[in-house]
Amino acid sequence: MGARGGAAFKQPLLEQYEHQGHPYYATARLWDDGVVDPAQTRRVLGLSLSAALNAPIPETKFGVFRM
């Protein structure tokens, strides 16, 4: 496969990544909790922190999970 063949092979993948990498693509499929309007960032962050701080924190027997 020459240089042109490699580019032709990669192009559909790059287009797919570009399309599926858009924030609305993931949000429309409920892969996340939605897109926050930048004007609402302070309000959403405040509500999130308030909810997190008011929830009980149970004792755990495991370490930190990383994704």
Side-chain angles (χ1 to χ4, degrees):
M1 189 180 296
R4 287 193 71 198
F9 176 77
K10 292 178 186 177
Q11 188 59 35
L13 293 173
L14 295 173
E15 289 173 4
Q16 181 181 8
Y17 291 157
E18 188 66 31
H19 176 71
Q20 293 181 1
H22 194 282
Y24 290 154
Y25 186 91
T27 294
R29 285 150 183 82
L30 302 176
W31 294 346
D32 57 26
D33 294 327
V35 177
V36 176
D37 180 349
Q40 297 295 319
T41 302
R42 185 182 302 255
R43 181 174 180 270
V44 171
L45 182 59
L47 288 170
S48 301
L49 290 172
S50 178
L53 291 173
N54 285 310
I57 302 173
E59 189 66 35
T60 60
K61 296 180 181 176
F62 52 82
V64 176
F65 288 106
R66 296 180 187 240
M67 294 177 68

